[in-house]
């Protein structure tokens, strides 16, 4: 190419006007560079900063406060805080007790273990958690996952002891996994569960939970253990005679002596503290918060007064009095069920952790404070490890209980301690009162709580904003509803990872044009008034260049060049001379990417075109220099900005007196210089 030997003096090498060339960053020692990269990957929040220039005793105190935040805020605790936390704790206890019993049944565990799981874990979280609003306890989705995954290996009815021990073991491994992620600063793994994935998965799981409760709501005796909608509907319609009889009943005995309470079920429909309702009318949040306990009381009284348990109504029965018995010796670490417990623990642990952290961050935003995701994972992990050794199954921070805690005006995690004390009193003295509680009430409590998790408004929002996110959401939802929870989760994560791979493997490349009367260059499809530079094609690469996308980018760049040459030929404009690659968004490049740039340069050289780079970042410049690409290309063809690169190309075009059919446009670009 004839103009390859010319040098644009004022822009390429720097001049008195202060225009600088693109520098290669100074070399860094390997270990220093490695230390920086590891720090940015695992310690973006720099948690060790608070320990700098501190005495050994102060470092010990700060370390203790890091792992046990209770030591940080207890010295500032006041009586006003205690009054607020006392009210909040009693309020969430009224919700936690019936929900704990209900969710234990959902997990195919004896109801008493729902109360055990609402006693020890909240105490652990109060000491180690960083959220002021999170109310810890059992959750429906994790309970259903436990029942589904363990139930596929061990029948809870035929072998209840082994099933219970596996539930403890799965909880132990969930805690180990959660705590390990927090200690190793690997919390970003949870980020692979996108918002769309969680919306679809939670909605599907809530639908499955509601379907499972048809057994109790409709009074069915023989019901499928499968969770998919087809199996559930088949189970319902094959027992239509029982369903018809159920709808005839109205709190009275029928032919076979069975009784049901429509009043209790109807009142239970208000038992879930709906999120939107709580936020719109926080003064009346206690109505929905107290509804589950009130339903239990009314249902128990009705059964007791009518002796309905003698006529076919299923009740909870005896609940053991006393606090949590130790269960550390019940953990199963031998084959053939060890892998089942590990798999169940990891999957339920990830879901519970993602839900708890998301809920904690949501309410922290309302009160303008931050929570540390890694500290939360350590807290969740430790409370599940301790819980597995004290007859508890998986716990996290459910949204419904946390919403009640937030609206009740909690100030600190002491509300969890108050709730745990209330559950302790229940375990010690009040468990006999639950003997007559009908199972239909528990089913209604679960179903009404789950309806709030079906966030159709979020799905509609996803459809409006991002169709691919909507596909991810619906993939998770339909997978859970029509297959099972594991398949639904796998589908959602697979689609999300596929999208991530598409972002990496198929980055966007756009043509840039000049905004009139400025030195700004933008996408010509976005800014319709942007003008392309005569003889120059400006392409923006919108992602790092790796082995996964280097071939695509090579083909896409050549295609852009072909299309631009065809356009110029058909319009009669001046021929293409320069191709500028705007690399502002290219944060990194690997050897495959460098080889791609080298190949593109050779292709352009054969076509008598010149490759120009604009604004490559330090990491890219460092690798291009080590690969000798800069030496091969020429330092004068690398510029700080697109404007500098265009000015240099225009200078070369006019210096070499290249013919330009469109004179006015050439003069316009000359003025930019």
């Amino acid at each position: 190419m004839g103009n390859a030997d010319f040098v644009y003096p004022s822009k390429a090498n720097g001049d008195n006007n202060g225009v600088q060339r693109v520098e290669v960053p100074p070399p860094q020692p390997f270990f220093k560079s490695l230390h920086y990269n590891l720090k940015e990957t695992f310690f973006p929040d720099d948690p060790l900063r608070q320990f700098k220039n501190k005495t050994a005793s102060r470092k010990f105190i700060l370390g203790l406060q890091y792992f046990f935040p209770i030591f940080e805020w207890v010295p500032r605790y006041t009586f006003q805080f205690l009054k607020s936390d006392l009210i909040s704790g009693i309020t969430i206890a009224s919700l936690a007790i019936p929900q704990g019993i209900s969710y234990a049944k959902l997990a195919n565990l004896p109801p008493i273990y729902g109360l055990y799981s609402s006693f020890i874990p909240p105490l652990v979280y109060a000491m180690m958690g960083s959220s002021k609003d999170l109310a810890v306890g059992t959750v429906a989705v994790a309970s259903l996952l436990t029942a589904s995954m363990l139930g596929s290996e061990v029948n809870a009815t035929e072998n209840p002891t082994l099933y219970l021990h596996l539930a403890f073991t799965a909880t132990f491994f969930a805690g180990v996994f959660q705590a390990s992620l927090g200690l190793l600063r690997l919390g970003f793994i949870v980020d692979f569960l996108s918002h769309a994935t969680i919306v679809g998965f939670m909605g599907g799981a809530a639908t499955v939970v509601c379907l499972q409760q048809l057994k109790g709501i409709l009074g069915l005796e023989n019901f499928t253990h499968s969770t998919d909608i087809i199996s559930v509907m088949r189970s319902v319609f094959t027992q239509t005679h029982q369903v018809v009889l159920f709808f005839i009943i109205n709190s009275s005995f029928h032919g076979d002596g069975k009784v049901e309470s429509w009043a209790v079920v109807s009142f239970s429909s208000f038992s879930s503290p709906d999120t939107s309702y709580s936020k719109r009318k926080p003064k009346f949040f206690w109505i929905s918060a107290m509804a589950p306990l009130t339903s239990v009381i009314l249902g128990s009284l009705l059964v007791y007064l009518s002796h309905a348990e003698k006529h076919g109504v299923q009740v909870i029965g005896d609940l053991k009095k006393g606090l949590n018995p130790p269960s550390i010796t019940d953990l199963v670490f031998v084959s053939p069920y060890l892998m089942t417990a590990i798999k169940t623990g990891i999957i339920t642990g990830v879901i519970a952790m993602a839900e708890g952290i998301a809920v904690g961050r949501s309410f922290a935003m309302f009160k303008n404070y931050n929570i540390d995701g890694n500290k939360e994972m350590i807290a969740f992990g430790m409370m599940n490890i301790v819980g597995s050794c004290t007859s508890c199954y998986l716990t996290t921070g459910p949204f419904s209980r946390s919403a009640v805690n937030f609206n009740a005006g909690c100030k600190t995690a002491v509300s969890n301690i108050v709730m745990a004390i209330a559950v302790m009193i229940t375990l010690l003295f009040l468990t006999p009162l639950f003997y007559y509680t009908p199972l239909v009430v528990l089913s209604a409590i679960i179903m009404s709580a789950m309806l709030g998790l079906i966030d159709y408004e979020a799905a509609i929002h996803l459809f409006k904003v991002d169709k691919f996110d909507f596909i991810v959401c619906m993939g998770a939802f339909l997978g859970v509803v029509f297959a099972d929870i594991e398949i639904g989760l796998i589908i959602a994560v697979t689609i999300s990872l596929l999208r991530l791979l598409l972002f990496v493997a198929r980055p966007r490349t756009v043509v840039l044009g000049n905004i009139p009367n400025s030195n700004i260059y933008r996408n010509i499809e976005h800014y319709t008034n942007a003008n392309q530079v005569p003889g120059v094609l400006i392409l923006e690469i919108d992602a790092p260049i790796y082995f996964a996308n280097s071939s695509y980018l090579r083909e896409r760049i050549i295609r852009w060049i072909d299309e631009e040459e065809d356009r110029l030929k058909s319009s009669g404009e001046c021929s293409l001379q320069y191709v500028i690659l705007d690399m502002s968004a290219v944060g990194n490049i690997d050897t495959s990417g460098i080889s791609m740039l080298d190949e593109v340069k050779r292709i352009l050289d054969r076509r008598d075109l010149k490759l120009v780079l604009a604004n490559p970042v330090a990491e890219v410049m460092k690798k291009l220099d080590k690969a000798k690409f800069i030496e091969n290309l020429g330092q004068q063809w690398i510029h700080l900005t697109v404007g500098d690169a265009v000015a240099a190309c225009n200078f070369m075009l006019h210096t070499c007196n290249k013919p330009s059919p469109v004179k006015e446009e050439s003069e316009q670009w000359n003025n930019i210089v």
Side-chain angles (χ1 to χ4, degrees), residues 228-411:
D228 62 284
I229 188 172
I230 297 176
S231 299
V232 171
M233 290 295 100
R234 184 187 297 118
S235 184
V236 170
F237 287 116
T238 54
Q239 303 178 73
T240 52
H241 61 287
Q242 292 189 37
V243 177
V244 172
L245 287 175
F246 173 81
F247 282 106
I248 295 175
I249 300 167
N250 185 10
S251 297
S252 59
F253 296 101
H254 59 78
D256 63 359
K258 191 173 182 181
V259 70
E260 298 289 353
S261 174
W262 275 96
V264 171
V265 176
S266 299
F267 193 85
S268 296
S269 64
F270 299 99
S271 63
S272 176
D274 180 78
T275 307
S276 57
Y277 177 80
S278 299
K279 290 179 181 178
R280 286 199 306 268
K281 299 180 180 179
K283 292 182 180 179
F284 303 103
F285 74 93
W286 53 270
I287 296 177
S288 58
M290 296 295 292
L293 186 59
T294 308
S295 300
V296 169
I297 294 172
L298 289 179
S300 301
L301 284 175
L302 187 60
V303 171
Y304 175 76
L305 295 175
S306 63
H307 301 288
E309 80 282 0
K310 298 178 181 179
H311 301 279
V313 173
Q314 295 180 335
V315 296
I316 289 179
D318 289 318
L319 291 180
K320 293 187 298 183
K321 291 175 64 175
L323 301 181
N324 301 35
S327 58
I328 188 170
T329 57
D330 296 333
L331 300 181
V332 180
F333 296 121
V334 295
S335 298
Y337 301 109
L338 179 60
M339 291 309 300
T340 300
I342 293 175
K343 182 178 73 171
T344 303
I346 291 176
I347 293 178
T348 55
V350 169
I351 296 299
M353 182 169 57
E355 180 181 358
I357 292 175
V359 171
R361 285 176 175 170
S362 298
F363 289 108
M365 179 181 65
F366 288 114
K367 291 187 178 180
N368 296 319
Y369 70 92
N370 296 317
I371 64 172
D372 188 330
N374 289 294
K375 289 167 68 174
E376 287 294 281
M377 283 186 282
I378 295 174
F380 290 156
M382 291 307 301
M383 75 181 187
N384 281 314
I385 291 173
V386 174
S388 67
C389 300
T390 53
S391 300
C392 303
Y393 77 103
L394 190 70
T395 54
T396 186
F399 191 92
S400 59
R401 235 168 287 174
S402 300
V404 170
N405 197 31
F406 175 83
N407 286 329
C410 69
K411 300 299 181 183

Side-chain angles (χ1 to χ4, degrees), residues 409-638:
C410 69
K411 300 299 181 183
T412 66
V414 169
S415 60
N416 278 291
I417 298 176
V418 174
M419 178 187 70
I421 293 173
V423 174
M424 180 186 70
I425 294 173
T426 302
L427 287 169
L428 290 174
F429 306 108
L430 304 180
T431 51
L433 299 179
F434 292 96
Y435 179 92
Y436 294 100
T437 301
L439 297 185
V440 65
V441 171
L442 303 184
S443 296
I445 290 173
I446 294 173
M447 183 175 286
S448 57
M450 289 300 96
L451 293 177
L453 291 180
I454 304 176
D455 196 350
Y456 63 90
E457 292 181 348
I460 294 173
H461 178 73
L462 290 174
F463 181 79
K464 291 179 179 178
V465 176
D466 192 321
K467 300 297 188 294
F468 203 106
D469 268 352
F470 178 76
I471 293 175
V472 172
C473 175
M474 292 309 298
F477 178 83
L478 296 176
V480 171
V481 171
F482 285 96
D484 60 38
I485 290 183
E486 295 175 66
I487 292 178
L489 186 60
I490 291 172
I491 290 174
V493 173
T494 301
I495 296 176
S496 296
L497 291 177
L498 177 62
R499 186 182 194 188
L500 181 63
L501 290 175
L502 285 175
F503 279 146
V504 174
R506 294 295 183 267
R508 287 181 58 83
T509 56
V510 297
V511 178
L512 302 184
N514 177 251
I515 302 296
N517 303 317
S518 73
N519 203 29
I520 299 172
Y521 294 82
R522 293 292 183 267
N523 184 358
I524 60 174
E525 294 183 0
H526 183 190
Y527 294 87
T528 55
N529 64 330
N531 300 314
Q532 289 187 250
V533 183
V536 180
L537 175 63
I538 310 170
L539 298 177
E540 180 184 54
I541 300 176
D542 212 12
I545 304 176
Y546 295 125
F547 65 93
N549 59 25
S550 58
S551 296
Y552 167 79
L553 285 174
R554 181 191 65 247
E555 295 168 359
R556 196 67 186 90
I557 291 170
I558 300 304
R559 178 180 157 193
W560 277 120
I561 295 171
D562 292 339
E563 292 175 352
E564 179 66 10
E565 288 185 330
D566 292 342
R567 185 187 70 83
L568 293 175
K569 187 181 298 182
S570 61
S571 63
E573 298 180 37
C574 63
S575 61
L576 184 63
Q577 301 292 325
Y578 298 94
V579 177
I580 300 175
L581 297 184
D582 181 6
M583 305 185 70
S584 305
V586 181
N588 210 329
I589 190 170
D590 66 358
T591 54
S592 298
I594 297 172
S595 298
M596 182 274 294
L597 290 179
D598 215 8
E599 188 174 351
V600 168
K601 180 186 179 303
R602 289 197 300 269
I603 294 173
L604 294 186
D605 287 343
R606 289 197 299 267
R607 298 172 66 163
D608 203 27
L609 302 175
K610 190 63 186 179
L611 178 65
V612 183
L613 303 184
N615 195 26
V617 299
E619 188 68 20
V620 173
M621 282 295 291
K622 180 175 68 176
K623 292 184 178 180
L624 292 181
D625 180 62
K626 289 182 178 180
K628 306 298 183 182
F629 179 81
I630 296 178
E631 180 180 329
N632 184 28
L633 178 67
Q635 178 75 49
Q636 70 272 23
W637 299 111
I638 304 178

